[in-house]
């Protein structure tokens, strides 16, 4: 049986994270705290070495997080656009309060995002996430890799492969989600995913204590 170990990491904090603005495809940089988080998760992952490769979304908040990790671990970074966040269309740049005003006080969680202009349908995001993650896992059977992506992408992927319900779960910036991919019948089998843990953020307490 062939298997790959994948650590799926959410990017560090941005100002839009801090102020509660929906990001989507908007290319927002890390803020200073987000850079500290990226360095903290890099140090934490160094304790789990060796790692063989790191992949990142092309959006800079993920890419810069991945660059910090790659530099600390001494491994190469490959940018993969399919790892980018959900396209949030007309909601991008808006706060929860602004969205609820748009819909006359309807709670954000009650709005059907799939019906909104420019918003990537959740089923399309799920298919994209499973496709790219499975492709990377098959490419690295027998190895350990890191993938840096985004909150909605990660939650949608975990829901798809582990039958989890994460709608009301907030993923911490730079949280770690450890998975194992097993390929029973190479090279054409679908394989299976196991979630070892998710939304683990022990390194953030270390980062807070050192700041």
């Amino acid at each position: 049986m062939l298997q790959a170990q994948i650590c799926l990491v959410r990017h560090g904090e941005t100002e839009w994270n801090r102020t509660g603005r929906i990001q989507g495809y908007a290319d927002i940089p890390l803020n200073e705290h987000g850079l500290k988080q990226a360095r903290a998760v890099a140090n934490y992952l160094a304790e789990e070495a060796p790692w063989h490769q790191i992949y990142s979304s092309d959006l800079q908040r993920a890419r810069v997080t991945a660059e910090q990790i790659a530099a600390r671990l001494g491994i190469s970074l490959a940018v993969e656009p399919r790892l980018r966040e959900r396209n949030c269309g007309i909601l991008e740049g808006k706060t929860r309060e602004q969205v609820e005003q748009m819909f006359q006080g309807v709670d954000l969680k009650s709005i059907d995002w799939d019906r909104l202009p420019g918003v990537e349908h959740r089923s399309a995001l799920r298919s994209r996430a499973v496709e790219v993650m499975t492709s990377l896992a098959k490419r690295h059977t027998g190895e350990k890799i890191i993938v840096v992506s985004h909150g909605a992408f990660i939650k949608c992927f975990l829901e798809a492969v582990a039958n989890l319900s994460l709608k009301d779960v907030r993923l911490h910036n730079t949280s770690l989600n450890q998975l194992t991919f097993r390929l029973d019948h190479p090279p054409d089998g679908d394989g299976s995913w196991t979630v070892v843990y998710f939304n683990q953020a022990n390194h953030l307490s270390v980062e807070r204590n050192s700041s």
Side-chain angles (χ1 to χ4, degrees):
M1 178 187 298
L2 298 174
Q3 69 177 38
Q5 296 181 55
I6 297 94
C7 187
L8 185 52
V9 184
R10 189 186 180 202
H11 62 79
E13 184 186 80
T14 70
E15 277 303 295
W16 281 21
N17 285 141
R18 190 184 66 81
T19 57
R21 295 186 182 275
I22 296 169
Q23 295 184 113
Y25 274 20
D27 200 11
I28 311 303
L30 297 180
N31 60 19
E32 187 59 36
H33 184 56
L35 282 169
K36 290 180 180 178
Q37 290 176 328
R39 296 183 190 112
V41 75
N43 288 333
Y44 188 89
L45 288 169
E47 298 178 4
E48 304 295 324
W51 298 94
H52 297 90
Q53 177 74 45
I54 183 166
Y55 292 89
S56 170
S57 157
D58 58 336
L59 297 177
Q60 63 176 308
R61 57 189 183 273
R63 178 175 47 78
V64 172
T65 301
E67 287 171 352
Q68 294 289 325
I69 298 170
R72 177 68 177 82
L73 301 181
I75 58 176
S76 63
L77 166 62
V79 172
E80 170 53 78
R82 291 177 296 169
L83 294 169
R84 66 165 45 197
E85 181 60 296
R86 183 183 192 180
N87 187 344
C88 293
I90 63 169
L91 301 180
E92 291 182 5
K94 293 181 172 58
T95 64
R96 180 191 189 108
E97 292 75 18
Q98 289 171 330
V99 173
E100 291 174 355
Q101 287 175 7
M102 287 173 58
F103 293 92
Q104 300 179 338
V106 176
D107 185 82
L108 181 62
K109 293 181 181 179
S110 301
I111 297 169
D112 184 359
W113 288 34
D114 288 344
R115 292 177 173 270
L116 301 180
V119 176
E120 182 177 12
H121 199 284
R122 193 167 182 79
S123 63
L125 174 61
R126 184 181 299 111
S127 296
R128 171 164 66 88
V130 172
E131 178 183 19
V132 64
M133 289 296 294
T134 301
S135 173
L136 295 178
K138 287 182 176 181
R139 191 181 305 170
H140 291 280
T141 53
E143 296 182 334
K144 292 171 58 180
I145 65 170
I146 299 165
V147 176
V148 183
S149 187
H150 306 265
F153 178 100
I154 294 171
K155 288 184 8 176
C156 209
F157 173 70
L158 293 176
E159 287 176 340
V161 301
N163 197 31
L164 296 172
S165 178
L166 302 177
K167 182 179 180 181
D168 297 323
V169 174
R170 180 187 175 278
L171 290 182
H172 303 292
N173 287 106
T174 67
S175 59
L176 307 175
N177 305 273
Q178 183 70 36
L179 302 105
T180 300
F181 177 80
R182 292 181 175 84
L183 188 58
D184 299 324
H185 303 289
D188 299 321
D190 292 332
S192 60
W193 290 92
T194 300
V195 177
V196 180
Y197 55 77
F198 76 96
N199 206 21
Q200 191 260 84
N202 294 342
H203 57 283
L204 295 182
S205 61
V206 174
E207 179 257 334
R208 282 193 297 268
N209 291 336
S210 62
S211 61

